[in-house]
DNA sequence: AGGAATAAGGCATACGTATACCCAAATTAT
DNA sequence: ATAATTTGGGTATACGTATGCCTTATTCCT
């Protein structure tokens, strides 16, 4: 037999000792007001003594509510699949806190964007709702999102907040953040600001950031030169390549606004290799404020997204959907973090 | 009503359409051999049509098996609680993969080391077992581990593998890794190697690494100078302080073996500030190979732990415990990653 | 050919909780 | 004082699946 049969106590055991019925135990422990104070205290005391804990499966089965949220990471399939975007990893902390505060369990999965999510998580009652995290080509997963909507799966995702979003969306104020970055660089006397990142609508968040930069330039009556925009997806390699392309094209620039810190780091590295000094020759500003951002030399000026609010809002918004309450606002302001890479 | 009552299909619905009983459906879908091939295929087909998925709660309740594992991070309480050790974060990826491959769900929590884990996860049938991840003062949580053992909670933890471990433990070959580091530095002509990290038994993994370094020194007939060991816990600040202390004490050294990359990064920064060149004046080697390690200048030589094996072994070992099978081996070799910070 | 083994699946039930409904006693209202 | 509530809790049952125990055809063996 090996294993002890110490018979995990059930609500019946408690009921017996308390001299009440099982339903009363259930009610007492859930704080129903149709149990007297005295009885509740007695029951709670016994529960503590017996080291009782509600069986999650029975509870969820009966109540049709799992009090669990599934956090799903999806990204464009990477070759190794090992490295997760550090920004989302950081968000993990904030989301776990938000769920823990509400007594929710958090299920996580890194599986690629699939069309079976609603089956795997919602239909099977594993989770009451999904949080979707990931960059990636928007158009690629649009159809999946529609499927989720069609199957009435509750979900929220992190991304660019638009009026025509499919499903609930929470995200940073990317346009405002782009403007912040632009204004900062302009205030430093920079005039020719390169933007490294996809600027098309397949990557709405990046596009928003670029748009914000444009707004800042416009406000300062500076021209927007399309030659200064170079595609870069998210890796260091992309950033490096983009800088090399810029230099090879002979385009003049005195600043770089990278759509992510990884891109920025790659860019700085390429600049260094080409004999350019940061920030003297070229100021660099990134986005996300990943841990490595403060470790580069010079340390990277960047935009910091409010992760605490992010997790909180994602969870709150999801819960609101599940409980059919009105949803909270969904755009979160971002903050400029000035470090060495933009001078000063 | 607002919400659709599309009546999620149950095994009864399938049974009805297939003209069999509900138990047969259950058997068919679980692959019981007492259902004929033909019937099984028919049932699977219908299940697919109806978009059926087994209710996880009912299934777990009946079978008393949740097929879920809880991943718990514990660390010495940090002031903000926000930043998680990047090494463990990286391990998260490997563990999710290992669980996903086995069709297990993964529950995660960052809550501090508590004494209620068995209640919260195992007794409530949320999870079949726990994976514990975290550095921290061993003596602090020893009692908690004993409680887990006492409550017959299934768990594995990551750490220093000893014969007298409480509960199942999986970990890197820290002694071997320390030796690797030492041998590498010695091969580079270094003779006075400082060790930054706690070396006492409150931090067994660090102690093992120090021991490995000692072994390498001994083998090369070099003396072990206690003055060259300086405490450092895990942050950059610790690394920086340790280097400053070394310099202030006037101890000569031409290499540093830091017990973690964060410590190493802090040390490199301090060296830079003091006008010491890395690697010319002092070679530096870290531990963990966190993403930021390749971003420093010079890039950090470090020890890379085999994360894939780690996740796989943790999960396998836990599962073995749950299913009362013999457990696999538990010591994982580590690898030296040579970069610029140790020269050449 | 007749009994033994096997195959395929039905029947009944248990897992542990939450909740709709009901009922008696105590309280309040009129 | 009697009807109308309220309080506190009991009864019965449902949530959806998995499994032990039977039953009935088949197939097999000698």
């Amino acid at each position: 037999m090996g294993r002890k049969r110490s018979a995990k106590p059930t609500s019946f055991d408690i009921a017996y000792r308390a001299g009440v019925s099982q339903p009363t135990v259930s009610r007492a422990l859930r704080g129903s007001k149709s149990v007297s104070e005295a009885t509740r205290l007695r029951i709670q005391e016994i529960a503590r003594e017996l080291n009782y804990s509600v069986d999650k499966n029975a509870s969820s089965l009966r109540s049709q509510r799992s009090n669990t949220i599934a956090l799903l990471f999806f990204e464009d399939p990477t070759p190794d699949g090992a490295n997760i975007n550090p920004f989302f990893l950081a968000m993990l902390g904030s989301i776990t806190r938000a769920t823990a505060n509400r007594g929710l369990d958090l299920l996580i999965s890194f599986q690629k964007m699939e069309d079976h999510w609603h089956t795997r998580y919602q239909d099977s009652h594993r989770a009451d709702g999904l949080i979707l995290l990931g960059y990636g080509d928007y158009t690629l997963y649009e159809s999946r999102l529609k499927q989720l909507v069609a199957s009435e799966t509750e979900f929220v995702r992190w991304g660019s907040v638009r009026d025509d979003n499919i499903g609930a969306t929470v995200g940073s104020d990317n346009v405002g953040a782009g403007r912040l970055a632009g204004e900062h660089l302009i205030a430093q006397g920079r005039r020719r600001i390169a933007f490294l990142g996809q600027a098309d609508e397949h990557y709405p968040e990046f596009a928003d950031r670029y748009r914000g930069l444009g707004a800042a330039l416009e406000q300062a009556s500076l021209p927007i030169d399309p030659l200064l925009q170079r595609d870069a997806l998210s890796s260091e390699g992309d950033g490096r390549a983009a800088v090399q392309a810029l230099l090879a094209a002979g385009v003049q620039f005195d600043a770089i606004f990278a759509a992510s810190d990884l891109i920025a780091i790659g860019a700085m590295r390429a600049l260094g290799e080409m004999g350019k000094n940061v920030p003297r020759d070229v100021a660099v500003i990134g986005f996300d404020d990943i841990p490595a951002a403060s470790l580069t030399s010079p340390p990277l000026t960047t935009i910091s997204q409010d992760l605490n609010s992010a997790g909180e809002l994602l969870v709150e918004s999801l819960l609101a959907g599940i409980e059919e309450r009105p949803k909270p606002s969904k755009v979160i302001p971002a903050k400029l973090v000035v470090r060495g890479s933009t001078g000063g």
Side-chain angles (χ1 to χ4, degrees), chain A:
Chain A
M1 287 269 73
R3 315 195 63 177
K4 189 180 62 180
R5 287 281 150 263
S6 64
K8 187 176 79 70
T10 73
S11 49
F12 283 98
D13 298 314
I14 301 192
Y16 177 75
R17 303 202 190 209
V20 299
S21 70
Q22 177 271 329
T24 297
V25 172
S26 174
R27 285 192 272 253
L29 296 179
R30 319 198 75 244
S32 157
K33 64 178 191 117
S34 68
V35 169
S36 72
E37 177 81 3
T39 310
R40 174 159 26 97
L41 289 177
R42 188 155 38 96
I43 289 176
Q44 284 172 337
E45 173 60 21
I46 297 177
R48 209 172 306 115
E49 269 173 27
L50 297 191
N51 230 305
Y52 169 81
S53 78
V54 175
D55 186 296
K56 184 71 183 321
N57 299 126
S59 168
S60 298
L61 173 59
R62 173 61 230 242
S63 66
Q64 300 291 54
R65 183 91 191 263
S66 66
N67 287 310
T68 300
I69 284 180
L71 175 56
L72 309 180
F73 291 83
F74 62 97
E75 297 194 72
D76 287 344
T78 52
D80 54 355
N83 43 3
I84 309 141
N85 187 307
F87 170 69
F88 290 124
L89 229 33
M91 198 175 265
L92 176 59
S94 132
I95 292 177
T96 53
R97 217 169 312 135
T99 50
N101 287 342
R102 291 171 174 75
L104 299 170
D105 285 327
L106 188 65
L107 223 42
I108 97 166
S109 168
F110 287 25
Q111 295 173 19
K112 301 198 188 7
M113 191 72 183
E114 293 176 359
D115 35 350
H116 294 308
W117 282 354
H118 52 291
T119 302
R120 170 141 181 83
Y121 292 99
Q122 178 132 325
D123 295 352
S124 68
H125 287 296
R126 275 174 170 77
D128 299 328
L130 316 178
I131 294 179
L132 268 37
L133 243 47
Y135 285 135
D137 188 337
Y138 188 85
T139 54
L140 273 181
Y141 54 77
E142 192 165 7
S143 67
R144 311 300 174 89
L145 294 181
K146 281 182 180 159
Q147 282 189 27
L148 288 183
V149 172
S151 62
E152 301 200 11
T153 302
E154 293 292 342
F155 74 95
V156 210
R157 70 190 172 97
W158 177 259
S160 169
V161 179
R162 310 282 177 93
D163 290 337
D164 59 348
N165 276 143
I166 301 171
T169 306
V170 171
S172 284
D173 176 10
N174 287 295
V175 176
R179 182 195 294 263
L180 271 182
E183 287 169 351
H184 172 65
L185 290 172
I186 293 169
Q188 302 287 316
R190 310 292 168 159
R191 291 294 172 268
R192 306 253 325 143
I193 304 174
F195 179 81
L196 307 190
Q198 314 290 125
D200 60 283
E201 283 306 322
H202 288 252
Y203 296 83
E205 301 189 71
F206 285 9
D208 285 350
R209 293 169 195 177
Y210 186 50
R211 199 167 300 136
L213 171 62
L217 288 170
E218 202 163 326
Q219 194 171 324
S221 306
L222 291 170
I224 298 174
D225 184 349
L227 286 178
L228 286 171
Q229 185 272 323
R230 295 283 158 165
D231 283 354
L233 222 45
S234 83
S235 69
E236 294 170 59
D238 291 345
R240 172 187 301 240
V243 164
Q244 287 164 343
L246 274 177
L247 292 174
V251 186
Q252 294 300 315
F253 60 98
D254 55 11
I256 287 177
F257 173 26
S260 83
D261 283 350
L262 285 179
I263 295 175
I265 288 169
M268 290 215 293
R269 187 150 301 170
L271 288 171
E273 287 163 6
M274 307 302 251
K276 302 278 190 187
N277 177 280
V278 176
R280 198 193 55 218
D281 302 328
V282 179
V284 177
I285 182 167
F287 208 107
D288 286 347
D289 197 18
I290 63 176
S294 62
L295 301 178
T296 57
S297 43
L300 184 62
T301 292
T302 187
I303 302 282
S304 157
Q305 307 191 57
D306 183 350
L307 293 184
N308 279 328
S309 303
E312 197 61 38
L313 231 66
L314 281 167
V315 172
E316 184 50 36
S317 175
L318 181 57
L319 237 40
I322 293 170
E323 292 163 2
E324 307 186 345
R325 290 186 276 109
K327 305 191 181 181
S329 75
K330 343 177 241 189
V331 177
I332 303 171
K335 211 175 62 199
L336 180 69
V337 177
V338 180
R339 296 207 184 90
S341 68
T342 50

